[in-house]
């Protein structure tokens, strides 16, 4: 995670330097910034300060800066850094930051009935609870932009005569998958920055793909195949 913050700091510094170069080389932007600065400084040092001069000065400076693409690159990167900071910080922030709210997915299953399952919409943010509803087992496939997700299969009886899949695609946030004891696990995980805790093993990944498999010695088990893709976030897979 430290490498990610260093990378963000380098990109932010380069964006500021590029913004300065764009202002100096663009006559219109340079004139607006210079005139705005003169109005701002002149209005401040004048014996009878003119509020109008200050306002126009700030407007000219703002226009001169925001008309350059480097400013918007800096703005977007800063916004992403703030969201990442709020996502990774602990304490009481998760109580009011939408994507820090937990999304708890608890499945109860029945035998397949042959009827197509109803459509289920994936939330953009965490905070949605899926549970208390009994439905035939179907592969899990959903997308989330932000948020911490918990998938609990503790009370699920997986079919033996088919491949069982969990596919999760996320932008930012932590994912926890709880698997019943006695179920074989096949994991295929891709992430830009994040940590994977698979049973008792921990892996630190940077733009890597990790494939793991766990099965008891007898080999006679139900199998769950987990495929996950995340930009920034941790993944935990463990037995319950």
């Amino acid at each position: 995670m430290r490498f990610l913050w260093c990378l963000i700091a380098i990109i932010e510094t380069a964006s500021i330097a590029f913004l300065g170069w764009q202002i100096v080389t663009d006559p219109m932007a340079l004139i607006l910034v210079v005139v705005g600065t003169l109005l701002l400084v002149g209005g401040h040092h004048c014996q009878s300060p003119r509020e109008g001069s200050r306002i126009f000065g700030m407007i000219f400076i703002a226009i001169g800066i925001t008309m350059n693409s480097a400013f918007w690159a800096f703005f977007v990167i800063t916004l992403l850094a703030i969201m990442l900071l709020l996502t990774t910080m602990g304490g009481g922030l998760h109580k009011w930051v939408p994507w820090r709210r937990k999304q708890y997915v608890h499945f109860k299953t029945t035998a397949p009935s042959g009827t197509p399952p109803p459509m289920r919409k994936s939330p953009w943010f965490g905070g949605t609870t899926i549970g208390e509803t009994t439905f035939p087992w179907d592969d899990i496939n959903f997308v989330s932009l932000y948020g911490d997700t918990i998938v609990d299969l503790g009370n699920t009886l997986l079919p033996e005569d088919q491949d069982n899949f969990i596919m999760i695609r996320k932008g930012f946030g932590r994912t926890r998958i709880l698997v019943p004891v006695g179920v074989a696990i096949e994991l295929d995980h891709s992430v830009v920055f994040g940590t994977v805790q698979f049973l008792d093993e921990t892996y630190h990944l940077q733009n890597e793909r990790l494939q793991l498999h766990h099965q008891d010695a007898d080999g006679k088990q139900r199998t769950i195949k987990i495929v996950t893709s995340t930009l920034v976030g941790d993944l935990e897979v463990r037995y319950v």
Side-chain angles (χ1 to χ4, degrees), residues 41-136:
V41 174
H44 178 72
H45 290 287
C46 185
Q47 295 182 351
S48 57
R50 299 179 180 179
E51 193 66 25
S53 298
R54 296 179 181 178
I55 294 176
F56 279 110
M58 289 187 290
I59 292 175
F60 286 167
I61 293 175
I63 295 175
I65 293 176
T66 56
M67 66 185 299
N68 297 280
S69 59
F71 168 80
W72 295 106
F74 174 81
F75 176 80
V76 171
I77 296 171
T78 302
L79 184 62
L80 292 175
I82 292 174
M83 290 190 294
L84 178 61
L85 178 64
L86 293 177
T87 300
T88 55
M89 288 182 65
L93 287 174
H94 65 278
K95 296 180 180 180
W96 60 272
V97 177
W99 54 86
R100 284 290 296 175
R101 298 171 185 170
K102 306 298 182 182
Q103 179 187 2
Y104 182 77
V105 185
H106 183 197
F107 294 93
K108 293 182 180 180
T109 64
T110 61
S113 61
T115 303
M119 295 180 62
R120 293 187 294 271
K121 184 177 181 180
S122 299
W124 286 93
F125 302 95
T128 302
T129 300
I130 302 176
E132 305 302 329
T133 301
T134 301
F135 56 90

Side-chain angles (χ1 to χ4, degrees), residues 4-237:
L4 177 60
W5 288 116
C6 292
L7 180 62
I8 292 175
I10 293 174
I11 296 175
E12 292 278 56
T13 303
S15 298
I16 294 175
F18 186 51
L19 175 61
W21 180 83
Q22 281 190 325
I23 292 175
V24 172
T25 56
D26 187 345
M28 180 60 68
L30 182 60
I31 291 174
L32 287 172
V33 172
V34 171
V35 172
T37 303
L38 292 177
L39 289 174
L40 196 60
V41 174
H44 178 72
H45 290 287
C46 185
Q47 295 182 351
S48 57
R50 299 179 180 179
E51 193 66 25
S53 298
R54 296 179 181 178
I55 294 176
F56 279 110
M58 289 187 290
I59 292 175
F60 286 167
I61 293 175
I63 295 175
I65 293 176
T66 56
M67 66 185 299
N68 297 280
S69 59
F71 168 80
W72 295 106
F74 174 81
F75 176 80
V76 171
I77 296 171
T78 302
L79 184 62
L80 292 175
I82 292 174
M83 290 190 294
L84 178 61
L85 178 64
L86 293 177
T87 300
T88 55
M89 288 182 65
L93 287 174
H94 65 278
K95 296 180 180 180
W96 60 272
V97 177
W99 54 86
R100 284 290 296 175
R101 298 171 185 170
K102 306 298 182 182
Q103 179 187 2
Y104 182 77
V105 185
H106 183 197
F107 294 93
K108 293 182 180 180
T109 64
T110 61
S113 61
T115 303
M119 295 180 62
R120 293 187 294 271
K121 184 177 181 180
S122 299
W124 286 93
F125 302 95
T128 302
T129 300
I130 302 176
E132 305 302 329
T133 301
T134 301
F135 56 90
W137 168 260
D138 195 7
D139 295 334
I140 304 168
N141 184 359
F142 66 91
V143 180
S144 179
L145 186 58
Y146 303 101
D148 292 356
T149 303
I150 301 175
V151 179
D152 187 359
L153 303 177
N155 296 324
T156 301
L157 182 61
L158 300 176
E160 294 182 335
D161 56 350
Q162 68 179 48
D163 292 332
N164 307 291
F165 285 91
I166 296 179
M167 181 174 291
I168 300 175
R169 287 157 291 178
K170 298 182 66 173
F172 301 88
R174 184 185 181 192
T175 302
R176 298 181 65 197
I177 302 177
L178 310 179
V179 182
V181 175
V183 176
I185 303 174
E186 295 183 9
L187 175 65
D188 189 344
H189 179 63
S190 300
V191 65
V192 178
F193 292 98
T195 300
V196 175
Q197 184 176 350
F198 184 78
L199 305 182
D200 297 327
E201 300 292 333
T202 301
Y203 305 87
H204 302 279
L205 305 180
Q206 295 182 5
N207 196 23
E208 295 177 82
R209 179 185 179 187
L210 178 66
Q211 293 178 296
L212 299 171
H213 177 76
H214 180 270
Q215 187 173 9
D216 288 342
D218 55 16
K220 297 179 180 179
Q221 290 180 299
R222 296 176 174 86
T223 301
I224 184 72
K225 298 182 179 180
I226 303 171
V227 181
T228 56
S229 299
T230 306
L231 288 179
V232 179
D234 298 335
L235 171 66
E236 178 184 358
V237 179

